[in-house]
Amino acid sequence: MQLTDTEKAMRDGSGGEAVAAAMDLLIRYGEALGAERLVETDNVAGAFNASTPSVRKIAERGMDEVFSRLNLDSDRTVEIPRLAARTCQLITGIDDQNWALQGADPQMIEMQRASEAFVGQRGVNLMATCTPYQVGNVPTFGEHCAWMESSAVVYCNGALGGRTNVEGKESTGAAALTGRIPYWGYHLTRNRYGNRHIRVDVPVRSMLDWGLLGYFTGERVEENIPVLEGALAGVDLVTLKHFGAAAASSGGVEMYHIPGHTPEARSAEDAFGPNRAEEQHVYDAAARKQMYETLQSATDRKVDFIMLGCPHNSIEQVGRIAALLDGKRLHPDVALWVHTPRAIRTVAERSGYVARIEAAGGKVMSDTCPAISRRLPPGVRVIATDSAKQAHYLPAIAKVQGWFGSLDACIEAGLTGIWTGDF
């Protein structure tokens, strides 16, 4: 790889052992990818805390050891200095305030807190969410980033016009220490043009509609770049959030274009650039019905758990949930967990939304989600969710039956204990 003088100096130890180890990792990583050089980044979103049983023995030897092994892939423990790039923590395994409700081991929450104190001292902003763009980390157009989390990456690339590949714990750890990441993949303009076309013939308006369209998109285009045109309405932060998360779950979509709405596509010509559509797909009423049916993994209509907030809910979503529950009471056999970033939870508390949700019998959670934490209320057999991503993953992870539908259908199931659905 071609290195600048500054990068060579970091490799040779001018910034200390940790930075040298990070540069060594990035050089090996970049060469494996075929990258010609590194690119500067000042926006890293990764997983830096310790909150799983597998880390416990490593953590007993200190948090420098945890970072060295998990975030630098180093067999040698190095002292971790303050990070070079602006860096945030993504979603974690335990809700710091509601860990007992989750059934988490008290030793695990203490380890997570010790880990967060360690990385916080070194410059990690503990946003603890899969949606950092909702709580202050909003990449500018064309900004080179180093992000983990599939739903965040596709949002960064598609909705915001930032530039990132799906990174891992090791590459984000190295990027945080050096302010560098391999210049390949979606960092290059030539790799960001569309190569698949989806014509949308059925109206897409609601969050449910956008989740179903996203799931269809991922199934059809896999890891390619779709350009979507047609009967699309209601394009906003929430709908694009759910569209991208669904597309990254059923496929491997990291980038998309919606001409006239997303920042790199004023037109279809902009979206495709020098490419052409190698495949054409049509999303119609039959495809919509097929996706809805595909996302249902349940047969028992007696629901005992409602999960809302994957990706984490916006303040508007929390407010809508509160309005739907206002003055009502959940069925005694149903638990409701509403997930949102802690920063948004604070606003929701001040706005009275949390009080209304909890008066109805629900809980507002932060920092994690059931698919990441692998923790549900005791005895759960059948879940309902408004998230295509959670419907895709949680039944297999938690060995439960799952219903997918609109927010209204989920709230109705929470109130009655019975799933009736949307169609």
Side-chain angles (χ1 to χ4, degrees):
M1 291 181 65
Q2 300 172 12
L3 302 180
T4 65
D5 289 342
T6 299
E7 291 160 357
K8 290 176 183 177
M10 285 193 282
R11 177 200 62 190
D12 295 338
S14 68
E17 289 186 305
V19 173
M23 281 300 299
D24 176 70
L25 185 152
L26 291 173
I27 291 167
R28 289 184 285 115
Y29 176 42
E31 288 176 345
L33 296 169
E36 294 182 358
R37 63 182 179 91
L38 302 173
V39 65
E40 292 187 29
T41 179
D42 193 32
N43 192 329
V44 178
F48 302 95
N49 74 340
S51 59
T52 60
S54 62
V55 181
R56 184 179 297 179
K57 287 195 176 297
I58 303 174
E60 289 174 357
R61 297 190 290 272
M63 292 303 165
D64 282 313
E65 175 93 358
V66 172
F67 198 108
S68 297
R69 286 186 175 272
L70 301 186
N71 293 106
L72 290 178
D73 191 32
S74 174
D75 293 331
R76 187 165 55 89
T77 302
V78 293
E79 184 177 346
I80 307 303
R82 187 166 181 84
L83 305 178
R86 288 185 301 117
T87 301
C88 72
Q89 165 70 40
L90 290 166
I91 197 167
T92 68
I94 305 173
D95 183 324
D96 188 71
Q97 293 182 357
N98 291 298
W99 60 270
L101 178 64
Q102 285 184 289
D105 183 337
Q107 291 184 327
M108 289 293 97
I109 187 62
E110 290 306 315
M111 185 174 74
Q112 176 171 290
R113 288 170 178 168
S115 172
E116 290 183 348
F118 175 86
V119 298
Q121 288 176 342
R122 285 149 183 81
V124 175
N125 297 312
L126 293 160
M127 294 178 175
T129 176
C130 54
T131 60
Y133 48 85
Q134 293 193 126
V135 292
N137 186 351
V138 184
T140 58
F141 181 80
E143 181 178 4
H144 293 285
C145 305
W147 281 22
M148 293 175 61
E149 167 57 39
S150 61
S151 71
V153 165
V154 70
Y155 194 91
C156 177
N157 283 322
L160 300 176
R163 298 190 172 203
T164 185
N165 299 298
V166 175
E167 299 294 348
K169 287 173 70 80
E170 299 85 355
S171 57
T172 51
L177 282 164
T178 63
R180 302 291 192 279
I181 198 72
Y183 186 61
W184 77 289
Y186 291 107
H187 290 287
L188 282 72
T189 299
R190 66 173 181 267
N191 294 332
R192 298 175 65 83
Y193 294 113
N195 54 20
R196 301 291 188 273
H197 185 262
I198 295 178
R199 191 183 79 224
V200 180
D201 285 352
V202 62
V204 173
R205 298 188 183 90
S206 67
M207 195 178 88
L208 171 70
D209 293 333
W210 281 93
L212 292 171
L213 176 60
Y215 207 75
F216 172 86
T217 298
E219 278 204 345
R220 294 301 188 274
V221 310
E222 297 178 336
E223 295 183 350
N224 289 287
I225 302 176
V227 177
L228 297 98
E229 295 184 289
L232 300 166
V235 181
D236 60 23
L237 182 152
V238 172
T239 54
L240 291 182
K241 175 162 61 95
H242 282 267
F243 167 79
S249 299
S250 60
V253 177
E254 298 175 39
M255 175 75 191
Y256 63 87
H257 300 286
I258 303 175
H261 294 285
T262 52
E264 294 178 48
R266 291 170 298 178
S267 64
E269 290 74 22
D270 281 348
F272 282 110
N275 294 348
R276 62 179 180 81
E278 297 174 22
E279 294 177 3
Q280 303 271 355
H281 301 282
V282 177
Y283 181 72
D284 54 18
R288 183 177 188 266
K289 184 173 184 293
Q290 180 189 16
M291 292 301 103
Y292 185 80
E293 292 172 350
T294 297
L295 283 164
Q296 314 304 332
S297 64
T299 54
D300 188 346
R301 292 190 176 272
K302 186 178 179 181
V303 174
D304 43 29
F305 179 54
I306 311 295
M307 185 276 163
L308 304 174
C310 175
H312 278 171
N313 280 314
S314 68
I315 187 60
E316 293 81 10
Q317 288 176 285
V318 178
R320 182 156 184 252
I321 294 166
L324 290 171
L325 289 171
D326 197 17
K328 301 172 184 175
R329 187 73 188 172
L330 293 170
H331 188 279
D333 295 334
V334 179
L336 166 66
W337 287 0
V338 178
H339 292 265
T340 191
R342 185 162 304 282
I344 289 179
R345 181 197 163 94
T346 299
V347 178
E349 287 175 342
R350 190 168 183 174
S351 303
Y353 303 154
V354 172
R356 277 188 271 171
I357 291 168
E358 294 190 344
K363 291 292 182 181
V364 179
M365 313 281 282
S366 294
D367 305 336
T368 189
C369 76
I372 294 294
S373 69
R374 302 183 179 231
R375 294 181 176 93
L376 286 75
V380 167
R381 293 180 54 254
V382 183
I383 68 135
T385 181
D386 61 349
S387 163
K389 178 176 181 176
Q390 202 79 192
H392 177 85
Y393 287 115
L394 192 57
I397 290 172
K399 305 296 187 290
V400 293
Q401 298 182 45
W403 294 108
F404 166 75
S406 66
L407 174 61
D408 295 82
C410 289
I411 295 296
E412 181 66 21
L415 297 171
T416 64
I418 301 296
W419 179 258
T420 56
D422 296 281
F423 300 107

